[in-house]
Amino acid sequence: MHNMMHNMTDDEMIANHIVMRRGVCQYVRRVPEDLRAEFPFARIQRSLGTQDKRKAREAALELDRNWERRFAEARIRKGVGSDDIGGIARIDTAQWTWSDWEALALWLKLTLANDDWQVRLTGAPGRLLGANADIKSLPWRDDETVKQHIARGRVLAKMTVGAYTSDCVGDVQAHIRRLGVIISRTDPHFDRFMAACMAAELAYLDIFKQREGRIGGLDQPHPETVPGPWRQARAEPATAVPPSPVVRHAKQTADTEITLAGKTLADCRAKWVENRNKVKKKVRPSHLREMDSVIAAFEVQAKVRDIGAIRRRHLLAFRDHLSSTTDYAAGTINKKIGFISSLLGTALNAGWTETSLGGSLFLEVPQDEGGREPYSNDELATIFASPTFTTGYRNKQVKACGEVQFWLPLISCVHGMISSEILQLGPDSFKPHPDAPQIWCMIVTNAGDRRIKTLARQRWVPIRKELLDLGLLKLVEAARSQQKRFIWQVLSEHGDDVEKVSGYFSSYWSRFSDRKLMIQTEGTSLYSFRHAFQDALAAAGWPEEVKKALMGHAESGMTGRYGTKKKPRVVDIIEMNEAIQSLKWAFIGNVKNLHG
């Protein structure tokens, strides 16, 4: 629920499930979370064809009845009757007082906080769990989740309680249904309870912010500690009338025939790593961390751990959950689904399970998805006017990566290098060019087990003179004197794990640019510095050969792969240096390195 994005804040809310859009009343509501796998869509939207609000309410009431009936039928198809909610007897709330509903809202807040805690626990070290918990060791959530939480907080800050009630009641219901509680709009406490749920979600977002900021949020009690009538009902012997045999369809019969494998997705992960090691294929730590995060999120959402109980519908529900409650791109969702399907494929090959989940699990990726945008001149001015680049300020968070937060954006912007190339710079990467000793260069290479993105094995990139004045070579000499592989201290602190540090800084930069600098242009990221450099070269009139030589591009596009091969013009280091030094960067004269 807390990951849900809303597009209704600019519309006039009339009543539950009714909004006014472009002068016409619309019926809009979400499919309840527990039924997402039963419908091919996550959102219901229908024009009521009228501007008359009274007529719209009448039409919406009829649609409400129809959809409630369809949702009830869907639950029956799932083997869940009206008096039996997911195997839990439905609780009669007719005699509940406001204090009971208030306690339920508290339970909701703690449940949201607990779900986040469970995702983080996968990577939590022991020092986080002791009496004197080291909060700095709390695992981070991924960048997309953090962005989405920020966006959700902004939406809730502007949203009215009426809008929240209309758009989120289904998601609230999906959470409290696990207790056997069904909320009714006719209940006298309904509106106040939804307001309390909105407050609960806002409180959870504060907890999430504290956790990401490493300033608190660890002392949240478990939701089961909240006293409420649902606990008494669950403790008492079941007195509800057993559901009719007619309600229990083939789906339940099929589920009761499940043979548990006694294995979890974590076991599949270990087997996957074992298989990779056998064939001497590399296993990247960042890949495993992302895989662990997806496993935890899937198990929280699907509420299934044994792989023998996982069904195709669980993956489809997880996919639709990500699609409807997050702002993940289709490619990102497919990547996460791919983790789970790949692990289940490993289980199938290991003989732990017997049934394939089949194909067609992935979303179609739009042709224009993933486009990256360069930073504009105004955005570059904002970035390099920040205290990191003007007053010597350094963020002390682990993910800020020490001096990397100053040098990496600067090098990337004025040289067009990508972050992984910059992080892999070592003392041996800085030399005068043999043909022009007066020109100091950075050597981008895949020698020494370094990895670069382009096909070129090595390129020489002249160093912008302002970076020499700012003390870049002092950093190099310090690393050389200490016989370090890379020039960045943070890499030494993390076992020279480039992937890990790259992930850390990417996460930091995403939060820093979005929260501190308020740069929220869609498509911008660390890679935007490279695009800004490329645009600057083009604007200055430098030919394609110079751009390729400086940025390490192979032949441009498919045209370079086919047809007559013509050897490109060789670009000498003098011309490359002239290109680097001549680019007009308005900000660069104001950059100061007080740590140099």
Side-chain angles (χ1 to χ4, degrees):
M1 180 179 73
H2 52 281
N3 288 336
M4 185 168 52
M5 298 303 298
H6 299 274
N7 59 7
M8 298 173 62
T9 55
D10 296 326
D11 304 311
E12 180 189 355
M13 178 62 62
I14 301 171
N16 293 335
H17 302 145
I18 307 176
V19 295
M20 181 73 78
R21 291 180 175 169
R22 298 185 180 91
V24 179
C25 295
Q26 303 271 336
Y27 179 83
V28 182
R29 71 182 298 181
R30 291 182 178 274
V31 175
E33 188 173 338
D34 66 314
L35 296 178
R36 296 276 166 83
E38 304 299 316
F39 292 87
F41 47 81
R43 187 181 183 89
I44 303 157
Q45 182 169 336
R46 177 177 173 179
S47 173
L48 298 176
T50 181
Q51 297 179 346
D52 188 307
K53 297 177 182 179
R54 182 184 60 80
K55 292 180 180 179
R57 291 189 186 96
E58 292 175 355
L61 284 174
E62 182 62 28
L63 286 171
D64 269 338
R65 285 192 289 268
N66 289 338
W67 278 108
E68 291 298 339
R69 175 180 53 78
R70 291 186 64 179
F71 294 155
E73 290 172 351
R75 291 192 176 97
I76 289 174
R77 290 195 301 272
K78 290 181 66 176
V80 180
S82 60
D83 291 323
D84 180 24
I85 309 169
I88 301 174
R90 177 172 175 172
I91 297 174
D92 183 5
T93 60
Q95 303 303 317
W96 278 26
T97 64
W98 166 242
S99 62
D100 297 324
W101 291 107
E102 190 175 32
L104 185 58
L106 173 60
W107 176 91
L108 177 63
K109 182 195 81 168
L110 296 180
T111 296
L112 296 175
N114 187 61
D115 287 348
D116 172 70
W117 182 247
Q118 284 188 243
V119 174
R120 296 177 192 268
L121 274 180
T122 303
R127 61 181 179 276
L128 178 67
L129 308 177
N132 298 315
D134 177 14
I135 195 169
K136 292 183 179 180
S137 66
L138 179 67
W140 302 90
R141 296 297 300 270
D142 61 271
D143 288 351
E144 290 297 329
T145 298
V146 173
K147 286 182 180 179
Q148 187 280 322
H149 277 69
I150 294 172
R152 178 63 172 158
R154 290 173 182 155
V155 169
L156 287 182
K158 299 176 181 178
M159 183 180 282
T160 66
V161 173
Y164 182 87
T165 298
S166 177
D167 211 32
C168 302
V169 64
D171 294 276
V172 171
Q173 181 63 81
H175 278 80
I176 65 176
R177 182 175 287 109
R178 70 180 76 173
L179 299 177
V181 177
I182 296 293
I183 185 172
S184 171
R185 295 177 187 275
T186 62
D187 191 285
H189 299 295
F190 175 76
D191 291 330
R192 191 173 179 183
F193 173 66
M194 289 305 300
C197 290
M198 186 176 185
E201 190 176 350
L202 285 165
Y204 158 69
L205 290 171
D206 285 340
I207 293 169
F208 183 90
K209 186 185 299 184
Q210 291 175 30
R211 289 173 177 175
E212 283 297 301
R214 302 302 188 271
I215 58 175
L218 301 186
D219 56 347
Q220 302 303 310
H222 194 279
E224 290 187 3
T225 62
V226 178
W230 61 88
R231 295 187 66 190
Q232 299 169 6
R234 293 172 66 180
E236 294 171 358
T239 57
V241 178
S244 168
V246 177
V247 172
R248 300 300 188 180
H249 285 329
K251 277 199 172 184
Q252 190 204 18
T253 302
D255 284 349
T256 58
E257 294 173 357
I258 289 173
T259 301
L260 297 181
K263 302 285 186 180
T264 66
L265 288 170
D267 296 316
C268 298
R269 171 203 186 274
K271 186 67 174 178
W272 181 83
V273 172
E274 178 186 330
N275 292 342
R276 297 276 296 185
N277 290 335
K278 283 181 179 178
V279 295
K280 294 181 170 57
K281 289 187 176 181
K282 188 173 182 179
V283 179
R284 292 184 287 110
S286 61
H287 185 88
L288 293 180
R289 287 194 296 272
E290 188 173 3
M291 183 180 286
D292 289 340
S293 177
V294 173
I295 289 172
F298 173 79
E299 290 180 344
V300 168
Q301 199 275 333
K303 299 179 178 61
V304 174
R305 296 199 72 237
D306 192 291
I307 57 174
I310 295 176
R311 291 293 180 262
R312 177 184 175 84
R313 59 185 171 85
H314 291 119
L315 264 74
L316 294 176
F318 184 52
R319 180 198 67 188
D320 293 343
H321 168 74
L322 294 174
S323 178
S324 61
T325 65
T326 74
D327 60 351
Y328 289 151
T332 301
I333 293 173
N334 288 344
K335 181 180 180 182
K336 293 178 181 294
I337 295 300
F339 280 130
I340 304 299
S341 62
S342 175
L343 291 173
L344 293 174
T346 299
L348 186 66
N349 291 333
W352 296 343
T353 57
E354 301 293 334
T355 306
S356 170
L357 298 178
S360 301
L361 294 170
F362 302 104
L363 298 173
E364 182 177 354
V365 180
Q367 291 184 354
D368 61 347
E369 183 173 292
R372 290 162 171 160
E373 293 292 329
Y375 283 125
S376 68
N377 289 334
D378 288 343
E379 288 170 335
L380 291 176
T382 298
I383 290 169
F384 291 108
S386 69
T388 299
F389 302 99
T390 57
T391 68
Y393 170 77
R394 297 293 185 267
N395 190 305
K396 300 300 184 182
Q397 291 182 2
V398 173
K399 285 195 173 186
C401 298
E403 286 303 295
V404 168
Q405 64 190 284
F406 174 84
W407 287 106
L408 189 148
L410 190 57
I411 293 173
S412 183
C413 185
V414 303
H415 296 91
M417 293 166 61
I418 60 177
S419 58
S420 61
E421 293 173 341
I422 297 169
L423 287 174
Q424 292 179 92
L425 292 172
D428 59 334
S429 302
F430 295 81
K431 294 180 181 178
H433 195 277
D435 296 337
Q438 74 277 17
I439 300 175
W440 272 87
C441 297
M442 291 176 283
I443 306 171
V444 182
T445 177
N446 58 10
D449 198 32
R450 293 186 175 99
R451 295 183 296 108
I452 57 177
K453 186 176 182 180
T454 60
L455 297 176
R457 182 168 183 82
Q458 176 175 286
R459 73 182 192 272
W460 292 69
V461 180
I463 302 174
R464 179 92 180 193
K465 62 181 180 61
E466 287 89 348
L467 270 65
L468 296 175
D469 295 339
L470 289 168
L472 178 58
L473 294 185
K474 292 182 181 178
L475 200 66
V476 175
E477 290 306 316
R480 181 179 285 117
S481 66
Q482 297 173 41
Q483 297 184 328
K484 292 181 178 178
R485 183 182 179 192
F486 302 111
I487 67 172
W488 313 111
Q489 175 64 27
V490 66
L491 278 165
S492 299
E493 295 170 356
H494 292 283
D496 288 344
D497 189 337
V498 174
E499 295 285 350
K500 182 177 182 179
V501 172
S502 178
Y504 275 177
F505 189 69
S506 177
S507 174
Y508 166 77
W509 186 259
S510 176
R511 291 192 304 276
F512 173 71
S513 60
D514 182 78
R515 300 181 191 178
K516 298 295 184 182
L517 304 181
M518 301 303 292
I519 296 176
Q520 297 164 358
T521 304
E522 186 174 357
T524 55
S525 65
L526 277 173
Y527 213 92
S528 298
F529 288 117
R530 181 172 170 87
H531 285 294
F533 174 79
Q534 181 171 302
D535 284 358
L537 284 175
W542 289 99
E544 192 70 17
E545 291 88 350
V546 174
K547 286 189 278 187
K548 290 179 182 177
L550 287 172
M551 302 184 72
H553 285 161
E555 291 296 325
S556 299
M558 297 299 292
T559 57
R561 300 187 185 184
Y562 304 104
T564 303
K565 299 294 187 293
K566 181 179 178 180
K567 187 174 182 179
R569 176 176 69 88
V570 176
V571 181
D572 65 33
I573 196 65
I574 302 295
E575 187 175 7
M576 293 169 64
N577 186 55
E578 184 181 351
I580 287 285
Q581 306 300 340
S582 66
L583 294 182
K584 304 298 183 184
W585 301 109
F587 63 81
I588 199 163
N590 297 320
V591 174
K592 295 179 177 60
N593 177 26
L594 302 183
H595 292 247

